[in-house]
Amino acid sequence: MRQPAHGGNLAWAAALAGCPPDAILDFSASISPLGPPNSAIAAILSQIGNLKHYPDPNYSELRLALSHFHQLPPEWILPGNGSAELLTLVGRELAQLAAIILITPAFGDYYRTLAAYNANVLECPLSLVTGHWSLVISPLSLAKDKGQRTKDKGLLLNNPHNPTGKLFSRDSILPYLEQFALVVVDEAFMDFVPPNEEQSLIPVVQEYPNLVILRSLTKFYSLPGLRLGYAIAHPDCLAKWQLWRDPWPVNTLAAAAAIAALQDKEFQQQTWAWLPPARNQLFQGLAKVPGLQPEASAANFLLVESQESTSQLQQQLLKHNQILIRDCLSFKELGDRFFRVAVREESDNQRLLTALDSVLSAEC
């Protein structure tokens, strides 16, 4: 079976480990272990009888719930079949520009959607200075396109950044909105940052018609199987995208679950209280394992540098411990010396740490 480019492929992992998929302890997909919320499950069950009807093609209730959640008019919001579907629409939009600056290392789906529309991609790597990642658009990246102009180009990045977990300040991104024709910020992991610390650009989206923000409801609320995300952008842009895509991209159950989850303040508070100590436990434990160096993160995952081959480490953990970590081979800048792990509950984190220590000690 082909090795996956994404995390969370339990069928592949189970085949390698020789066990059922539900026996795998999955650290490869950065999904909260606390959900799905009971409120979302109850909402799904309440809508079973409505499966005999088509969804509202305008998703009026869902857009209204999202508009209340973000304090925006509903016409500035477009729900989608996961942020992946919306990313495909973004790729089509970006490909119409002279070039796209892509902040790297970058999520593999960015390359997929840009390649699908033959976009001209200029890679701009994050700067790593004294152990800290920083966002700087290098003139060398622009020079590859035989020019320093940005007004005819687009910019695509995510915040918090995947796979490093770096949280860029809102102020560090705002200047680029004046420089680029279109700026797309994927905020799939921003929900994990507490409100008093988050750096979302949603509060300024109405000031910038060239800004597109992508959000996901699947990671924070543990609903990846339902496929639900949304875009926030100028209504003219979203109306055009609506014409590009198939009807009814969001199913009835997903829409109901999203409405309930957005209103579940208790679950949100629980997640913000859980993550920092759980992430610190995992970070401190990884730092104590010889040969491993974790990176500080604002998200629900950690990037870890390893002195040993991480693809081999991944296979050893699967075969001997039925634990799946995310190798970083799909991030060409990182290669076989980095892996990524989701933050899980304390007992799961400790099981991973014990397994890593055992495997790496045996290889020494």
Side-chain angles (χ1 to χ4, degrees):
M1 187 180 293
R2 183 179 176 183
Q3 186 165 350
H6 291 272
N9 192 324
L10 297 184
W12 172 85
L16 190 62
C19 66
D22 60 5
I24 299 292
L25 181 55
D26 185 16
F27 280 87
S28 72
S30 299
I31 306 298
S32 169
L34 304 186
N38 291 333
S39 57
I41 299 300
I44 290 171
L45 293 175
S46 74
Q47 292 298 311
I48 297 297
N50 284 327
L51 292 180
K52 59 188 175 184
H53 304 299
Y54 284 103
D56 169 13
N58 295 317
Y59 298 103
S60 302
E61 288 188 35
L62 175 54
R63 293 171 84 173
L64 187 61
L66 286 164
S67 76
H68 288 158
F69 189 74
H70 290 298
Q71 297 299 296
L72 286 172
E75 59 268 23
W76 284 76
I77 302 168
L78 183 67
N81 187 245
S83 54
E85 185 221 358
L86 299 163
L87 185 58
T88 299
L89 301 174
V90 164
R92 181 172 173 178
E93 190 79 49
L94 285 169
Q96 298 174 22
L97 300 172
I100 297 92
I101 301 296
L102 180 62
I103 304 301
T104 61
F107 179 39
D109 263 16
Y110 299 162
Y111 290 100
R112 170 194 63 80
T113 187
L114 294 172
Y117 296 105
N118 298 312
N120 179 21
V121 178
L122 306 178
E123 296 177 319
C124 181
L126 288 177
S127 300
L128 182 59
V129 181
T130 61
H132 298 283
W133 300 93
S134 60
L135 177 62
V136 179
I137 306 297
S138 165
L140 292 175
S141 299
L142 299 175
K144 295 174 186 176
D145 197 43
K146 299 184 175 63
Q148 302 293 320
R149 295 179 303 141
T150 56
K151 284 294 187 180
D152 61 349
K153 298 178 176 66
L155 173 63
L156 174 57
L157 70 151
N158 50 9
N159 190 31
H161 182 257
N162 176 19
T164 67
K166 167 71 176 181
L167 179 66
F168 305 119
S169 70
R170 183 184 294 114
D171 289 343
S172 70
I173 301 175
L174 284 176
Y176 297 122
L177 293 169
E178 304 288 350
Q179 300 171 28
F180 286 88
L182 182 64
V183 176
V184 179
V185 183
D186 181 355
E187 295 185 351
F189 293 97
M190 191 65 78
D191 283 330
F192 287 100
V193 184
N196 62 328
E197 299 174 22
E198 63 93 16
Q199 299 295 314
S200 175
L201 291 185
I202 292 175
V204 301
V205 70
Q206 291 178 279
E207 301 173 32
Y208 296 95
N210 63 329
L211 172 61
V212 174
I213 300 167
L214 299 180
R215 298 292 288 248
S216 170
L217 284 167
T218 63
K219 297 171 175 63
F220 186 86
Y221 298 103
S222 314
L223 296 167
L226 276 184
R227 312 304 310 130
L228 186 65
Y230 54 101
I232 298 177
H234 193 281
D236 291 347
C237 177
L238 299 183
K240 178 172 58 175
W241 291 4
Q242 186 79 302
L243 298 175
W244 288 353
R245 65 179 185 169
D246 297 335
W248 307 297
V250 179
N251 69 72
T252 297
L253 303 184
I259 293 169
L262 290 167
Q263 297 170 353
D264 196 334
K265 305 300 182 186
E266 182 179 350
F267 180 84
Q268 293 156 15
Q269 293 292 340
Q270 178 189 10
T271 304
W272 293 324
W274 155 78
L275 180 56
R279 183 174 56 211
N280 185 59
Q281 174 218 2
L282 185 56
F283 181 94
Q284 295 296 336
L286 289 166
K288 292 176 182 177
V289 177
L292 299 184
Q293 179 56 59
E295 302 273 356
S297 172
N300 65 323
F301 58 81
L302 296 174
L303 179 68
V304 186
E305 186 173 6
S306 171
Q307 295 179 7
E308 305 296 330
S309 163
T310 55
S311 55
Q312 292 181 21
L313 177 60
Q314 180 191 60
Q315 294 192 24
Q316 291 297 314
L317 288 171
L318 276 173
K319 292 177 180 177
H320 299 298
N321 305 96
Q322 298 178 343
I323 292 175
L324 176 60
I325 61 173
R326 168 74 152 85
D327 69 47
C328 288
L329 296 177
S330 63
F331 302 100
K332 58 186 177 182
E333 297 83 3
L334 301 181
D336 202 29
R337 285 295 179 266
F338 287 84
F339 64 90
R340 194 191 70 193
V341 287
V343 180
R344 296 184 59 92
E345 295 190 273
E346 183 178 352
S347 59
D348 290 342
N349 292 341
Q350 189 55 54
R351 180 177 159 190
L352 171 66
L353 294 170
T354 301
L356 282 167
D357 190 55
S358 176
V359 169
L360 291 172
S361 297
E363 292 180 355
C364 294

